[in-house]
Amino acid sequence: MLLGTVLVLLLFGGAGPASAHAALRSTDPADGAVLKSAPRALTLTFTESVGLLDDSFRVFDPDNRRVRTGEPQHAADRSDTARVTLPAKLGRGTFTVAWRVVSADSHPVSGAFTFSVGEPTPTTAAVNAGPTEDPVTGNLYDTARYAAYLAAALLIGTAAFVLLCRPADTAPLRTPLRAGWWTLLASTVVLLVLRAPYEAGTGPAGALDPSALAHTLSTRPGLALTARLALLGPAAVLLIRARRRPPASATTGPALATTGPAVVVAVGLALTWAAAEHASAGLQVPLAITSSVLHLLAMAVWLGGLTALLILLHRTTLPADAVARFSRVAFTAVTVLVVTGFYQSWRGLGSWSALTGTDYGRLLLAKLAGVTLLLTAASFSRSWTARPAAARAATGERVPVTAGGPPLPEREPEPETATGTEAVTVPVSEAGTASGAETGAAADVDTVRGLRRSVLAEVAVAAVVLMVTTALTGTTPGRAETEAADARASAPATGIATASVTLVPFNVGTPAVHGTVQVTLDPGRVGDNSVEAVVFGPDGGLSSVPELRLTFTLAGQKIGPLDTKVTDRGGYWAADAFNLPLPGTWTMKATVRVSDVDQVSETRQVRIER
C-alpha cells in the first residue's frame, strides 16, 4: 500500500493545481494599491465558488473606525467572487479590508488587505482578518465531527456484518447498532446547531440566534446535515424490522429483503459527507464524490465490522462460515480503501513537495503510518490463528471451527453449538480470516485469547486512524496551499512596502485577564524590520503589562527562536532593528506576563517575503 501510494504521488505529483479550500486569486483594488479616487466597490475573486456571510466584509478607515458598507453579494452572478459597495465619500488615506467567506467544501477562510486613496497614511489600521474559528466552538465542532464518523462506522459496519456475514447470534450486536444510531443523531444535531457560529468564528452562544439556524438551513452543509437527520429515520425502521426477524443464518430471505434498503440508506449517509467536504470542490468533482462515498463506506464496513467481530468473540460462539464471510468482505473493503485512497491522496496533494511541506501532507503520512500499524496488528491475528491450522495441515484433518465463546470440550462435537445452530465443519487449512485474522480451533484456548487481543489492538489503532482522518477533512489540502502561494506570488507589485500586522489573542484562564497583542513588522520582508507591539485589554483599550517577549522561528530551516528584544516604550513595546534572514512562514511566539505569577504564550504564523 505504501509503495503504491508513493508511486501514484510520483507519477501524478506534477499535475496542475486545483483547489479544495478556496484561495484568494485577486482583489480589486489590489493589495497595497494607491488610487487617485475612492473606489465605489470592493471585489474579491477566488479559485472556487464561495458562500457569503452577513459579516463577510469589514472595512476600516485610517483611524481604525469601521466604514459602513452595502450587503455582501456575488459580482455579476459569479459564485467565485465576493463584492461589497462602499460609500460615495470614503475619504483619503489607507484603508484596511478584512474578509471572511465559506469555501465550497464548507470550511471558512479569511484574510485581509489594504489600499490607499490619495496617498498612504503614516499609520494604518490593524490588518485583522478576524479569528479563523472560536477555540471553544472549533473544539466542540471537531469533537462532533469525530463522533459522527465513529458513529457512522459503528452503525454501517455492524449492520453490514449482520447482513453479509450472517452470524447465528446477533443479539450482542444490538447495543452497538443502537449506540451508533443515537450517537450519529446527537452529533449531527450538534453540528447543525454549531454550524453558524463555526462559519462566523464566534462563540457557541451565537447558535442561540434564530436567524443563525435559518441561514445554516439555506447552505449546502446545512442541507447535507438535514438530509443526514432525515436518513436516520429509515435507518431506525430497518433496525426495528431486523430485530423482529429471525436470525439471518436461519434463512437468507430476510437478509436479502433488508440488504437493498440498507445499502440505499448507507450510500445516502455517505453522500451527506462527500457532498459537503473536500470532494465537493476542486478537481473532478463527480469522480471525487464517488471516490469519497466508496472510501467512507469501505472504512465503515472494515472498522465497524472489526468492532462487531470483537464483540462476538467475547460474547458468543461464532461459526467459522461467518468469519470466512467477513474475511472476504474485509479484503474487498481494504482493496476499495487502497484504490480510493490513492486517488484522494493525489487529488489532495498535487505535488511531491506537499507531502512533507504542508500540514495536509504530514497528516496523510500519519494516516498511512496508522494504516500500516493496523495491517501489522492484523498480521499478528493471522499468526495466532495459523498455529492450530499448521499443526493439522499435514494430515488434512477436518475439525469443527468456531471462534469466541467458551472452549469446546475435548470430545466429538454435538450436532448443536452453544448458540443452537449447526456446527460448521471445514478443513482447518481452509479456515477463513477476518481482517487478516483466521479463526483457530475452538479447543485451542490460547489461540482464541490471542485472537481477541489482536483484534482489540486492530480496533484501537482503527480509532486513532479515524481521528487522523477527521483532522484531514478539516485541513487545507496541499493543492489549495500551493495555489494560494502561487496567487500571492503572481499578484502585481504595487511598489509600496506594506507592513505585516498580526493579532495574537491571549487568555490566562480568568475572565478579566485576556486581550490581544497587535504586532507590526515593517516592512515585513527579509532583512531588518522594525517591531512594534501594542497590548489591548478585554474592553479593546490599551493595556499595560509588566513583560512582553516576541520570538520568531523558521522550523524548516532550523532557525530560531530569534528574540526581537522588544522594550517598553511607554504604552507600547518596540525594537528598532530586528533581522529576519530568510523568506518563509515563520512561527511568532508572543509571551505575555500580566502579573508576578500569571503569563501565557501564544503562537501565530507570519509570512515573510523577499
Side-chain angles (χ1 to χ4, degrees):
M1 290 175 65
L2 291 174
L3 290 175
T5 302
V6 170
L7 178 61
V8 170
L9 293 174
L10 187 61
L11 290 176
F12 298 105
S19 63
H21 282 46
L24 181 63
R25 188 184 299 276
S26 64
T27 65
D28 183 15
D31 185 14
V34 178
L35 310 175
K36 293 182 179 180
S37 59
R40 293 306 310 274
L42 301 174
T43 304
L44 309 182
T45 304
F46 297 89
T47 56
E48 65 175 43
S49 60
V50 295
L52 302 179
L53 306 172
D54 294 337
D55 203 29
S56 277
F57 284 93
R58 289 176 294 130
V59 182
F60 298 91
D61 66 13
D63 296 323
N64 207 15
R65 294 190 298 262
R66 185 163 181 177
V67 177
R68 291 183 178 273
T69 62
E71 292 293 326
Q73 58 187 348
H74 294 295
D77 296 326
R78 288 182 53 187
S79 61
D80 63 343
T81 63
R83 181 182 177 89
V84 67
T85 58
L86 298 174
K89 297 181 179 181
L90 189 61
R92 300 174 68 84
T94 300
F95 292 81
T96 303
V97 181
W99 55 267
R100 184 180 182 87
V101 297
V102 181
S103 59
D105 62 353
S106 81
H107 297 287
V109 290
S110 58
F113 66 96
T114 63
F115 68 91
S116 300
V117 179
E119 61 181 6
T121 53
T123 59
T124 64
V127 182
N128 176 18
T132 301
E133 63 180 30
D134 179 81
V136 177
T137 302
N139 289 335
L140 290 174
Y141 195 85
D142 289 341
T143 300
R145 288 174 61 241
Y146 177 71
Y149 275 115
L150 195 63
L154 191 61
L155 177 62
I156 296 174
T158 304
F161 189 93
V162 171
L163 293 174
L164 301 178
C165 303
R166 302 195 294 277
D169 184 9
T170 61
L173 299 181
R174 293 172 185 171
T175 298
L177 285 170
R178 288 194 296 266
W181 190 91
W182 281 108
T183 303
L184 187 55
L185 175 67
S187 58
T188 303
V189 170
V190 171
L191 290 172
L192 190 62
V193 171
L194 290 179
R195 182 67 203 179
Y198 173 74
E199 289 183 350
T202 59
L208 300 178
D209 185 358
S211 63
L213 182 59
H215 170 75
T216 298
L217 294 176
S218 66
T219 64
R220 180 163 55 178
L223 292 174
L225 292 170
T226 304
R228 191 180 303 169
L229 287 175
L231 286 168
L232 286 175
V237 173
L238 290 175
L239 292 179
I240 294 173
R241 290 175 59 188
R243 182 177 180 179
R244 294 175 178 174
R245 285 175 171 172
S249 58
T251 173
T252 59
L256 293 175
T258 308
T259 299
V263 170
V264 172
V265 171
V267 172
L269 288 173
L271 273 171
T272 63
W273 272 277
E277 293 190 345
H278 289 163
S280 64
L283 183 69
Q284 302 172 349
V285 171
L287 181 59
I289 289 180
T290 302
S291 174
S292 181
V293 168
L294 293 175
H295 195 81
L296 181 61
L297 291 177
M299 176 273 298
V301 169
W302 186 26
L303 304 187
L306 273 176
T307 304
L309 175 63
L310 181 64
I311 292 173
L312 292 182
L313 282 173
H314 281 272
R315 300 277 184 89
T316 187
T317 300
L318 187 61
D321 57 349
V323 179
R325 292 188 192 102
F326 181 67
S327 173
R328 294 188 290 269
V329 170
F331 177 81
T332 302
V334 170
T335 302
V336 173
L337 280 172
V338 171
V339 174
T340 56
F342 285 170
Y343 172 72
Q344 292 182 156
S345 298
W346 163 72
R347 185 176 183 269
L349 287 169
S351 67
W352 177 257
S353 60
L355 189 61
T356 56
T358 64
D359 291 337
Y360 185 89
R362 288 186 286 270
L363 278 173
L364 182 59
L365 287 176
K367 180 178 178 180
L368 290 174
V371 172
T372 302
L373 188 59
L374 187 59
L375 295 176
T376 302
S379 69
F380 278 103
S381 299
R382 179 180 296 275
S383 66
W384 270 107
T385 56
R387 294 180 181 181
R392 296 179 175 89
T395 61
E397 181 183 354
R398 301 171 67 87
V399 297
V401 179
T402 57
L408 295 176
E410 295 184 357
R411 58 185 175 85
E412 291 295 324
E414 297 293 334
E416 296 287 318
T417 67
T419 59
T421 61
E422 183 177 341
V424 180
T425 302
V426 297
V428 176
S429 58
E430 299 176 7
T433 64
S435 182
E438 292 183 61
T439 57
D444 192 337
V445 177
D446 291 338
T447 296
V448 173
R449 290 176 178 173
L451 178 59
R452 290 171 179 169
R453 288 194 296 267
S454 61
V455 174
L456 177 60
E458 290 184 64
V459 173
V461 175
V464 176
V465 171
L466 193 59
M467 187 178 300
V468 177
T469 301
T470 305
L472 266 175
T473 62
T475 303
T476 304
R479 283 183 183 270
E481 288 194 28
T482 300
E483 183 160 346
D486 291 343
R488 289 193 296 267
S490 61
T494 61
I496 302 170
T498 57
S500 168
V501 183
T502 306
L503 294 183
V504 186
F506 66 89
N507 191 332
V508 298
T510 57
V513 187
H514 62 89
T516 303
V517 181
Q518 176 182 307
V519 182
T520 303
L521 289 174
D522 190 6
R525 298 181 180 275
V526 171
D528 286 337
N529 288 261
S530 64
V531 184
E532 181 180 296
V534 181
V535 181
F536 297 97
D539 59 353
L542 293 177
S543 177
S544 176
V545 295
E547 183 180 355
L548 174 65
R549 185 185 181 194
L550 299 174
T551 62
F552 284 78
T553 303
L554 188 60
Q557 300 294 331
K558 298 182 180 180
I559 298 177
L562 305 178
D563 193 346
T564 60
K565 298 180 181 180
V566 292
T567 58
D568 190 353
R569 303 289 179 89
Y572 68 98
W573 297 73
D576 295 328
F578 172 64
N579 184 268
L580 290 168
L582 294 175
T585 301
W586 291 71
T587 299
M588 180 180 69
K589 181 179 180 180
T591 301
V592 186
R593 183 166 65 86
V594 297
S595 68
D596 291 338
V597 295
D598 294 321
Q599 75 174 32
V600 65
S601 296
E602 299 289 347
T603 60
R604 286 294 184 274
Q605 303 299 310
V606 179
R607 180 71 183 177
I608 301 299
E609 305 291 349
R610 291 189 180 276

